PDB file of all heavy atoms in Angstrom:
ATOM      1  N   LEU A 218       1.640   1.220   3.701  1.00  0.00           N
ATOM      2  CA  LEU A 218       0.391   1.968   3.681  1.00  0.00           C
ATOM      3  C   LEU A 218       0.749   3.379   3.223  1.00  0.00           C
ATOM      4  O   LEU A 218       1.690   3.990   3.752  1.00  0.00           O
ATOM      5  CB  LEU A 218      -0.240   2.023   5.071  1.00  0.00           C
ATOM      6  CG  LEU A 218      -0.663   0.702   5.682  1.00  0.00           C
ATOM      7  CD1 LEU A 218      -1.049   0.898   7.151  1.00  0.00           C
ATOM      8  CD2 LEU A 218      -1.833   0.107   4.912  1.00  0.00           C
ATOM      9  N   TYR A 219       0.016   3.886   2.240  1.00  0.00           N
ATOM     10  CA  TYR A 219       0.275   5.238   1.743  1.00  0.00           C
ATOM     11  C   TYR A 219      -0.973   6.086   1.925  1.00  0.00           C
ATOM     12  O   TYR A 219      -2.054   5.723   1.463  1.00  0.00           O
ATOM     13  CB  TYR A 219       0.687   5.201   0.267  1.00  0.00           C
ATOM     14  CG  TYR A 219       0.921   6.570  -0.322  1.00  0.00           C
ATOM     15  CD1 TYR A 219       1.808   7.466   0.268  1.00  0.00           C
ATOM     16  CD2 TYR A 219       0.246   6.981  -1.466  1.00  0.00           C
ATOM     17  CE1 TYR A 219       2.019   8.729  -0.269  1.00  0.00           C
ATOM     18  CE2 TYR A 219       0.452   8.236  -2.015  1.00  0.00           C
ATOM     19  CZ  TYR A 219       1.340   9.107  -1.403  1.00  0.00           C
ATOM     20  OH  TYR A 219       1.541  10.355  -1.928  1.00  0.00           O
ATOM     21  N   TYR A 220      -0.800   7.210   2.610  1.00  0.00           N
ATOM     22  CA  TYR A 220      -1.870   8.152   2.919  1.00  0.00           C
ATOM     23  C   TYR A 220      -1.602   9.469   2.189  1.00  0.00           C
ATOM     24  O   TYR A 220      -0.976  10.370   2.743  1.00  0.00           O
ATOM     25  CB  TYR A 220      -1.925   8.416   4.424  1.00  0.00           C
ATOM     26  CG  TYR A 220      -2.288   7.211   5.241  1.00  0.00           C
ATOM     27  CD1 TYR A 220      -1.330   6.250   5.556  1.00  0.00           C
ATOM     28  CD2 TYR A 220      -3.579   7.024   5.690  1.00  0.00           C
ATOM     29  CE1 TYR A 220      -1.665   5.135   6.300  1.00  0.00           C
ATOM     30  CE2 TYR A 220      -3.919   5.906   6.440  1.00  0.00           C
ATOM     31  CZ  TYR A 220      -2.949   4.971   6.734  1.00  0.00           C
ATOM     32  OH  TYR A 220      -3.275   3.867   7.465  1.00  0.00           O
ATOM     33  N   PRO A 221      -2.061   9.610   0.952  1.00  0.00           N
ATOM     34  CA  PRO A 221      -1.763  10.841   0.219  1.00  0.00           C
ATOM     35  C   PRO A 221      -2.353  12.094   0.862  1.00  0.00           C
ATOM     36  O   PRO A 221      -1.766  13.170   0.760  1.00  0.00           O
ATOM     37  CB  PRO A 221      -2.349  10.595  -1.170  1.00  0.00           C
ATOM     38  CG  PRO A 221      -3.340   9.494  -0.998  1.00  0.00           C
ATOM     39  CD  PRO A 221      -2.852   8.667   0.149  1.00  0.00           C
ATOM     40  N   LEU A 222      -3.487  11.968   1.531  1.00  0.00           N
ATOM     41  CA  LEU A 222      -4.095  13.150   2.164  1.00  0.00           C
ATOM     42  C   LEU A 222      -3.284  13.634   3.360  1.00  0.00           C
ATOM     43  O   LEU A 222      -3.370  14.796   3.738  1.00  0.00           O
ATOM     44  CB  LEU A 222      -5.533  12.849   2.593  1.00  0.00           C
ATOM     45  CG  LEU A 222      -6.513  12.604   1.447  1.00  0.00           C
ATOM     46  CD1 LEU A 222      -7.861  12.132   1.984  1.00  0.00           C
ATOM     47  CD2 LEU A 222      -6.671  13.838   0.580  1.00  0.00           C
ATOM     48  N   MET A 223      -2.504  12.739   3.938  1.00  0.00           N
ATOM     49  CA  MET A 223      -1.680  13.082   5.098  1.00  0.00           C
ATOM     50  C   MET A 223      -0.201  13.212   4.737  1.00  0.00           C
ATOM     51  O   MET A 223       0.596  13.644   5.566  1.00  0.00           O
ATOM     52  CB  MET A 223      -1.818  12.010   6.186  1.00  0.00           C
ATOM     53  CG  MET A 223      -3.193  11.884   6.781  1.00  0.00           C
ATOM     54  SD  MET A 223      -3.297  10.518   7.970  1.00  0.00           S
ATOM     55  CE  MET A 223      -2.158  11.049   9.250  1.00  0.00           C
ATOM     56  N   GLY A 224       0.175  12.765   3.544  1.00  0.00           N
ATOM     57  CA  GLY A 224       1.584  12.752   3.177  1.00  0.00           C
ATOM     58  C   GLY A 224       2.380  11.742   3.980  1.00  0.00           C
ATOM     59  O   GLY A 224       3.554  11.954   4.276  1.00  0.00           O
ATOM     60  N   GLU A 225       1.740  10.640   4.344  1.00  0.00           N
ATOM     61  CA  GLU A 225       2.392   9.617   5.172  1.00  0.00           C
ATOM     62  C   GLU A 225       2.590   8.330   4.396  1.00  0.00           C
ATOM     63  O   GLU A 225       1.738   7.932   3.595  1.00  0.00           O
ATOM     64  CB  GLU A 225       1.559   9.315   6.419  1.00  0.00           C
ATOM     65  CG  GLU A 225       1.505  10.437   7.417  1.00  0.00           C
ATOM     66  CD  GLU A 225       2.794  10.636   8.203  1.00  0.00           C
ATOM     67  OE1 GLU A 225       3.709   9.773   8.121  1.00  0.00           O
ATOM     68  OE2 GLU A 225       2.890  11.665   8.889  1.00  0.00           O
ATOM     69  N   PHE A 226       3.706   7.668   4.672  1.00  0.00           N
ATOM     70  CA  PHE A 226       4.066   6.400   4.051  1.00  0.00           C
ATOM     71  C   PHE A 226       4.644   5.520   5.151  1.00  0.00           C
ATOM     72  O   PHE A 226       5.690   5.839   5.716  1.00  0.00           O
ATOM     73  CB  PHE A 226       5.104   6.647   2.950  1.00  0.00           C
ATOM     74  CG  PHE A 226       5.538   5.429   2.202  1.00  0.00           C
ATOM     75  CD1 PHE A 226       4.745   4.900   1.192  1.00  0.00           C
ATOM     76  CD2 PHE A 226       6.741   4.827   2.489  1.00  0.00           C
ATOM     77  CE1 PHE A 226       5.165   3.787   0.476  1.00  0.00           C
ATOM     78  CE2 PHE A 226       7.179   3.720   1.783  1.00  0.00           C
ATOM     79  CZ  PHE A 226       6.384   3.195   0.776  1.00  0.00           C
ATOM     80  N   LEU A 227       3.945   4.463   5.503  1.00  0.00           N
ATOM     81  CA  LEU A 227       4.405   3.524   6.535  1.00  0.00           C
ATOM     82  C   LEU A 227       4.821   2.242   5.839  1.00  0.00           C
ATOM     83  O   LEU A 227       4.022   1.628   5.137  1.00  0.00           O
ATOM     84  CB  LEU A 227       3.272   3.210   7.518  1.00  0.00           C
ATOM     85  CG  LEU A 227       2.526   4.375   8.139  1.00  0.00           C
ATOM     86  CD1 LEU A 227       1.375   3.862   8.989  1.00  0.00           C
ATOM     87  CD2 LEU A 227       3.466   5.219   8.971  1.00  0.00           C
ATOM     88  N   ASP A 228       6.059   1.822   6.026  1.00  0.00           N
ATOM     89  CA  ASP A 228       6.490   0.590   5.367  1.00  0.00           C
ATOM     90  C   ASP A 228       7.276  -0.283   6.325  1.00  0.00           C
ATOM     91  O   ASP A 228       7.851   0.199   7.300  1.00  0.00           O
ATOM     92  CB  ASP A 228       7.323   0.906   4.119  1.00  0.00           C
ATOM     93  CG  ASP A 228       8.672   1.502   4.427  1.00  0.00           C
ATOM     94  OD1 ASP A 228       8.715   2.628   4.956  1.00  0.00           O
ATOM     95  OD2 ASP A 228       9.693   0.844   4.154  1.00  0.00           O
ATOM     96  N   TRP A 229       7.243  -1.585   6.037  1.00  0.00           N
ATOM     97  CA  TRP A 229       7.965  -2.554   6.839  1.00  0.00           C
ATOM     98  C   TRP A 229       8.136  -3.846   6.059  1.00  0.00           C
ATOM     99  O   TRP A 229       7.455  -4.077   5.076  1.00  0.00           O
ATOM    100  CB  TRP A 229       7.246  -2.816   8.164  1.00  0.00           C
ATOM    101  CG  TRP A 229       5.898  -3.452   8.069  1.00  0.00           C
ATOM    102  CD1 TRP A 229       5.615  -4.788   8.171  1.00  0.00           C
ATOM    103  CD2 TRP A 229       4.622  -2.813   7.864  1.00  0.00           C
ATOM    104  NE1 TRP A 229       4.262  -5.001   8.044  1.00  0.00           N
ATOM    105  CE2 TRP A 229       3.626  -3.808   7.851  1.00  0.00           C
ATOM    106  CE3 TRP A 229       4.233  -1.483   7.679  1.00  0.00           C
ATOM    107  CZ2 TRP A 229       2.283  -3.516   7.666  1.00  0.00           C
ATOM    108  CZ3 TRP A 229       2.900  -1.202   7.490  1.00  0.00           C
ATOM    109  CH2 TRP A 229       1.943  -2.213   7.492  1.00  0.00           C
ATOM    110  N   ALA A 230       9.084  -4.661   6.532  1.00  0.00           N
ATOM    111  CA  ALA A 230       9.267  -5.989   5.963  1.00  0.00           C
ATOM    112  C   ALA A 230       8.244  -6.915   6.629  1.00  0.00           C
ATOM    113  O   ALA A 230       8.092  -6.874   7.851  1.00  0.00           O
ATOM    114  CB  ALA A 230      10.681  -6.495   6.218  1.00  0.00           C
ATOM    115  N   PRO A 231       7.543  -7.724   5.847  1.00  0.00           N
ATOM    116  CA  PRO A 231       6.592  -8.659   6.452  1.00  0.00           C
ATOM    117  C   PRO A 231       7.297  -9.588   7.419  1.00  0.00           C
ATOM    118  O   PRO A 231       8.486  -9.874   7.281  1.00  0.00           O
ATOM    119  CB  PRO A 231       6.034  -9.433   5.255  1.00  0.00           C
ATOM    120  CG  PRO A 231       6.346  -8.619   4.057  1.00  0.00           C
ATOM    121  CD  PRO A 231       7.576  -7.837   4.400  1.00  0.00           C
ATOM    122  N   SER A 232       6.563 -10.094   8.385  1.00  0.00           N
ATOM    123  CA  SER A 232       7.153 -10.948   9.431  1.00  0.00           C
ATOM    124  C   SER A 232       7.762 -12.219   8.894  1.00  0.00           C
ATOM    125  O   SER A 232       8.631 -12.801   9.524  1.00  0.00           O
ATOM    126  CB  SER A 232       6.132 -11.261  10.520  1.00  0.00           C
ATOM    127  OG  SER A 232       5.025 -11.945   9.950  1.00  0.00           O
ATOM    128  N   GLY A 233       7.327 -12.663   7.712  1.00  0.00           N
ATOM    129  CA  GLY A 233       7.890 -13.874   7.118  1.00  0.00           C
ATOM    130  C   GLY A 233       9.281 -13.654   6.552  1.00  0.00           C
ATOM    131  O   GLY A 233       9.969 -14.586   6.194  1.00  0.00           O
TER     132      GLY A 233
END
Side-chain angles (χ1 to χ4, degrees):
L218 297 170
Y219 178 54
Y220 295 81
L222 293 172
M223 296 176 64
E225 291 286 350
F226 182 80
L227 309 175
D228 69 294
W229 65 95
S232 60

